[in-house]
Structure formats: structure tokens, C-alpha cells
Amino acid sequence: MTAFKPLVFSGVQPTGNLHLGNYLGAIRKFVALQADNDCIYCVVDLHSITAQLVHEDLKGQIRSIAAAFIASGIDPEKHIVFNQSAVPQHAELAWIFNCVARIGWMNRMTQFKDKAGKDRENASLGLLAYPSLMAADILVYRGTHVPVGDDQKQHLELARDIAMKFNLDFRDNIRATGTGVDILVGDEPVHAYFPMVEPMIEGPAPRVMSLRDGTKKMSKSDPSDLSRINLMDDAETISKKIRKAKTDPEALPSEAEGLKGRPEAENLVGIYAALSDRSKADVLSEFGGQQFSTFKPALVDLAVTVLSPITAEMRRLMDDTAHIDAILRNGGERARARAEKTMAEVSDIIGFLR
Ligand code: TRP
């Protein structure tokens, strides 16, 4: 039994400002994975037009995600950073996957139902096909591991379903072309062209909640800017938002158990823990029994210490668009070389003449 070569792939949409939730939940994980993996990080601009077609300054949005990746410590030379539309093979493989996936599979996606709302007939066809493009993003590199938030789990299950159906439907051609790999799916041996992607959900802070309501996720679409810390916020703004963050009147508990039923306290302690690479229990062993009036200034100091160098580097990069564009272009070329090889093999497996 052989195995696919491990490859980490993830994508972030260029819509709206990046906030602390994106940083702690995704980007910091991307940074940590670099040490031991081959990684590809993609600004998924093709996905950004599925829910809303026209964007103000889409180019600027794409550059700002790339700048955030690099300012946070992603190395675009050892790994690959690029924007999706620069590699047409994503859309090409997505078309094939549109013919592999069934309409029923797409209709069951909770994110589609949420985003389409009541007027489903009027959603774009692209929004329905979104998960098929996402599967193509990963599988055009035969990616194996995908760091994402838990809201993307269902999309990754669909990517596995697509890979499995392709592997089974084209089994004989995969063998005939000599492009497959023998893997186990459960205890079932499968001769596979595409790997079964694995989500990597765990992490220091998979869910960062709103500063105004500890039961809602921190989100770029929340109308109140006080609900989130943006990666481009300056120290004063971070300080104001944390000071105004909703809390309850109790002191902090000494143990993590005591955070149950106190979503705002849990969120702020969780943010402190993630920013300092400590556990919540460890943070509470220091701050247990103290009031928020003591804890909040400590959290402000920590957040500013961690975020301000990133913000400064992001601003510097954003001022030098030629440099960012060169990084994306170089990443795009290296990504395309890999994707072209996959598409040549996929075309051969399907039986296209080219
Ligand atoms: N759907 C993902 C999100 O909204 C973004 C995304 C697109 C993605 N393609 C991907 C994530 C491929 C991981 C792998 O968060």
C-alpha cells in the first residue's frame, strides 16, 4: 500500500477586512504548518464572486489577504502563495467535478442554504457549485490536508465524495494510465487518482466570538465594528474595542469549568490563551479571582504586542503593490506548473484528446 505525498492546502476569500478570528482560527495555523509540510495558500478570488458579483477594489482585497499571509510569517518562497484566478486549472477541474457531483449533494450544503436564503431560485449557479470549485482547489494539487474552520467540514466531506466517485467511476482508466495510488478508505482498498482530503479543524482558537455577544462568531459582516478586532486596527482602536467588550459582573474563575455559561468571559480568556499560546486553564491560574478591570488591560497589552508588528508589516506590504503582485505572480506560476500536470493526467483518464 502506498500513500499520497502529504500536501497542505487552504484558501481564504478576499472579501472584507481580516479580523482576529481569521488570524487565530486560520492564518496562525497556516504559519505553524509550514515547518513540517509542503503548503499551498490561496486567495480564492473565484469564490468571492459567487455570492456577490461586483466588488469595490477586488484587486486591493486580494493583495490585502496576501499581505496578511506574509506579514503573519508565511514564507512565499518555501511554500506557495497565489490567487486562484491566476491558475485556470482550478476552474477547469471544477467543471469536471460539476459533472461528477450530483445536484442533490449540492442542495444539501448548509452554507448554500444559509447564503442563498429564501430566494434560492435567484442565487447564482456559482454559489450552488461553490463546493465543487473548493474540491478542485485542493485536488488539482492532489492536496491531502486542509486547515479550515469547523463551518467548512461539510464542504470537505463533499470533496471526499467527489474524489471517491471519480476514483470508482474511472477505476479502469486510472489503472490503464498508471497514474493511481493504492490507498485504504476505511478497510476498503481503492486504486485512487485523488486522495481523501482530511480536515484539520483543531487549533488554539477554532472559534473566536464577537466582542459584543459571546454566542455569535466574530464576523466581518457584523454591522458593529466594535464586535471585532481587525488586523488593520491600530493600538488605540484595539484598546477601545477590548475596553468596551461585553462582560458579566463576576470576577474571573480560577478554573476553566467556571467559564461554562459565561460566553463573553470564555471568549476573552480564549483570546488571551490563543494569543499567548497557553491553555485557558493556565491563563485562569494567573487571572482567577481578578476583575475584568484588571484582565482587560492585560489583554489589550498582549493583543497589541502580538498584532502591531503584523499590522505594521501589512501596511508596509500594501504600500508596495509591485512587490505583492510579484509574489503572487511567482506563486501562481509555480502552482500552475503543478496543476497543469494534474489536468493533463485527468484529461487522459477521462479520455479527452488534447
Ligand atoms: N470555503 C472556504 C471558506 O469560506 C474558502 C475556500 C475555498 C477553501 N477553497 C478552499 C478553504 C480550499 C480550504 C480549501 O472558508
Side-chain angles (χ1 to χ4, degrees):
M1 204 62 54
T2 48
F4 285 95
K5 206 166 142 271
L7 172 73
V8 171
F9 183 98
S10 196
V12 173
Q13 287 203 45
T15 45
N17 287 334
L18 282 176
H19 54 68
L20 188 64
N22 305 120
Y23 175 67
L24 291 176
I27 299 177
R28 250 189 19 160
K29 247 191 294 192
F30 300 175
V31 174
L33 285 164
Q34 297 182 102
D36 302 315
N37 299 280
D38 180 14
C39 304
I40 304 183
Y41 297 126
C42 182
V43 184
V44 289
D45 48 9
L46 297 174
H47 277 109
S48 72
I49 61 168
T50 56
Q52 180 194 326
L53 182 58
V54 181
H55 293 260
E56 195 182 315
D57 193 22
L58 184 55
K59 289 190 167 98
Q61 297 281 0
I62 294 167
R63 290 181 182 121
S64 89
I65 305 290
F69 284 174
I70 292 158
S72 303
I74 291 170
D75 181 341
E77 283 171 21
K78 281 210 191 83
H79 302 277
I80 293 181
V81 172
F82 75 110
N83 60 306
Q84 194 184 24
S85 61
V87 181
Q89 287 76 14
H90 288 241
E92 191 181 357
L93 185 58
W95 176 257
I96 311 285
F97 287 173
N98 285 343
C99 301
V100 174
R102 309 288 93 184
I103 293 173
W105 300 2
M106 298 298 171
N107 276 328
R108 282 194 282 280
M109 293 293 114
T110 55
Q111 185 172 301
F112 172 68
K113 289 191 251 185
D114 289 346
K115 285 198 184 170
K118 285 200 178 65
D119 192 8
R120 231 192 260 188
E121 291 288 303
N122 199 33
S124 77
L125 191 48
L127 189 67
L128 182 64
Y130 178 119
S132 155
L133 177 59
M134 180 165 161
D137 294 339
I138 305 159
L139 294 173
V140 83
Y141 306 102
R142 298 165 98 181
T144 57
H145 292 82
V146 185
V148 279
D150 57 0
D151 60 328
Q152 295 299 312
K153 237 172 137 171
Q154 195 186 30
H155 287 158
L156 292 182
E157 278 161 26
L158 189 96
R160 294 166 72 98
D161 290 343
I162 289 175
M164 193 63 173
K165 182 165 164 58
F166 184 95
N167 289 338
L168 295 179
D169 288 357
F170 289 108
R171 185 172 27 204
D172 295 345
N173 296 2
I174 294 168
R175 265 194 206 291
T177 53
T179 52
V181 170
D182 288 310
I183 58 168
L184 279 179
V185 181
D187 336 302
E188 192 80 19
V190 176
H191 191 64
Y193 183 75
F194 289 118
M196 299 290 119
V197 298
E198 282 174 38
M200 308 173 90
I201 309 275
E202 66 303 319
R207 277 168 86 79
V208 176
M209 311 308 279
S210 157
L211 299 179
R212 309 297 301 166
D213 176 353
T215 63
K216 284 202 315 213
K217 245 175 113 161
M218 187 175 283
S219 157
K220 55 193 157 204
S221 53
D222 192 311
S224 167
D225 196 54
L226 285 174
S227 71
R228 63 186 159 260
I229 293 172
N230 301 306
L231 276 192
M232 293 297 258
D233 283 347
D234 58 22
E236 208 178 305
T237 310
I238 293 177
S239 169
K240 181 181 81 184
K241 287 176 175 175
I242 293 179
R243 276 186 284 114
K244 293 197 170 201
K246 187 176 169 199
T247 51
D248 55 42
E250 307 289 313
L252 285 171
S254 313
E255 274 152 35
E257 269 296 289
L259 293 170
K260 289 239 164 71
R262 299 178 63 187
E264 284 82 18
E266 170 144 42
N267 188 36
L268 294 182
V269 171
I271 291 172
Y272 193 103
L275 284 171
S276 57
D277 274 319
R278 291 161 64 183
S279 66
K280 286 183 196 166
D282 193 32
V283 172
L284 290 175
S285 71
E286 182 183 341
F287 289 98
Q290 302 206 26
Q291 300 294 334
F292 283 104
S293 55
T294 319
F295 181 66
K296 279 182 168 181
L299 180 56
V300 170
D301 280 348
L302 175 64
V304 169
T305 307
V306 175
L307 298 178
S308 61
I310 298 173
T311 310
E313 180 64 4
M314 263 182 87
R315 286 188 201 283
R316 202 186 63 75
L317 289 164
M318 292 293 286
D319 283 341
D320 188 356
T321 52
H323 179 59
I324 282 281
D325 293 2
I327 290 173
L328 288 171
R329 210 174 314 114
N330 173 273
E333 279 164 19
R334 286 152 57 217
R336 202 177 319 129
R338 298 196 194 189
E340 271 167 2
K341 178 167 182 287
T342 304
M343 282 317 298
E345 290 174 352
V346 167
S347 297
D348 197 29
I349 289 167
I350 295 174
F352 294 144
L353 264 179
R354 53 180 223 175

